[in-house]
Amino acid sequence: LVNQGSMAGLTQDTLATATTTNTGSISGPVDLDTGSITQTGATASMGATDVAAGTVLNADDGTVGAVTTAGTTNIGNGDAIAAIADSLIVNGGVTTVNSDGGVTNTSTVAAGAQLDSTGALGAVTNAGTLNVDAGTAGDITNTNIANVDLGASAGAITNSGTFTNDGTVASIADNSGGTFANTGTVSGTSAVSGGVVTNTGVMSGATTITAAGQVDSTGTMGDVTNGNVLNVNDGTAGAITSTGTTTVGDGAGATATVASLDVDGGVTTVGTDGTVTGLTDIAAAGQVDSSGTLGAVTNAGTLNVDAGTAGAITNSGTANVDAGTSVGAVSNSGTLTADG
């Protein structure tokens, strides 16, 4: 079938080899149960389209309404003519949005289904496999496997599955479980309430770690508020406020540098390759164990300078300065043990 005019709708459900080419308008719903449909031409259009398993929809150009697919679907073919779908539900098979393709509204990917995009996606809810290979995507909610590749970008990410960012995402709205591996850039804030975020790239905005969240970083981070586990093994971070377990420097040799420490609780360890350039402030419930390099320290909790150096120390809590260490001037109104 070749349509160059106007049709009210289309149901294709007879021959397995049936083909339709649309260069005109199909205003009503399209039900593709057998064979394939190809649409070409900038002015070509189809209404809401249902693509069954084993069938093929090639919306190379023009517009198509809401697409629900369990087959093989292509939005765009990489040429200079745009192909735009209103929305997308991928219940099975593989759907590809090419560089000239776009989905205006929400895309939903079911378990077992796959969406690959080099075009422009709106918001995406993914329980299958999502690959943003290039182009853009809106906010992404991921519960299974999602990848944003180098050169691609996406909006805010909510993740409880497996997420890999090699490109640029606007923020981590919440990593509540699973893993988030960042080798690219998170340009805004990050919230980590569960799972593990591994950063070897750049997390520019402030990061907040709560509940069961963990961040391991060898890259670049902004300010961090840690309520569970933070490991700045290498690289840099801004001001750190911690009530959890924090490590600055893993002792493996590469330097970890943070701007300052505000330890309101928990235990913070500064390793031999760790450096705090600004003030370390320890509240009554906090503890800092250091074998690295500290700047000035104000301590109302527990400070153990086990090795390395520290700047001037003002102590109203419990401070221990071990042999072999070097510290600045000490002002003490608490308990001070100095073996150094």
Side-chain angles (χ1 to χ4, degrees), residues 280-283 286 288 297-303 313-319 335:
T280 295
D281 186 29
I282 310 168
V288 171
V297 181
T298 300
N299 176 50
T302 301
L303 169 66
I313 298 175
T314 301
N315 179 57
S316 58
T318 300
T335 301

Side-chain angles (χ1 to χ4, degrees), residues 235-297:
T236 63
I240 294 177
T241 300
S242 182
T243 55
T245 301
T246 296
T247 300
V248 179
D250 58 5
T255 301
T257 303
V258 302
S260 63
L261 283 177
D262 186 355
V263 183
D264 294 328
V267 177
T268 293
T269 302
V270 179
T272 55
D273 52 356
T275 298
V276 182
T277 56
L279 177 67
T280 295
D281 186 29
I282 310 168
Q287 179 175 328
V288 171
D289 300 332
S290 179
S291 54
T293 303
L294 300 177
V297 181

Side-chain angles (χ1 to χ4, degrees), residues 52-73:
T55 66
V56 177
L57 171 66
N58 294 312
D60 292 343
D61 308 317
T63 61
V64 58
V67 176
T68 300
T69 177
T72 299
T73 297

Side-chain angles (χ1 to χ4, degrees), residues 134-197:
T136 63
D139 296 346
I140 297 174
T141 299
N142 177 59
T143 56
N144 196 41
I145 299 172
N147 304 289
V148 176
D149 286 352
L150 179 67
S153 64
I157 309 302
T158 301
N159 179 59
S160 58
T162 301
F163 199 105
T164 301
N165 176 49
D166 297 323
T168 301
V169 300
S171 64
I172 302 175
D174 186 25
N175 194 92
S176 60
T179 61
F180 189 110
N182 180 57
T183 64
T185 300
V186 180
S187 54
T189 59
S190 297
V192 184
S193 63
V196 178
V197 173

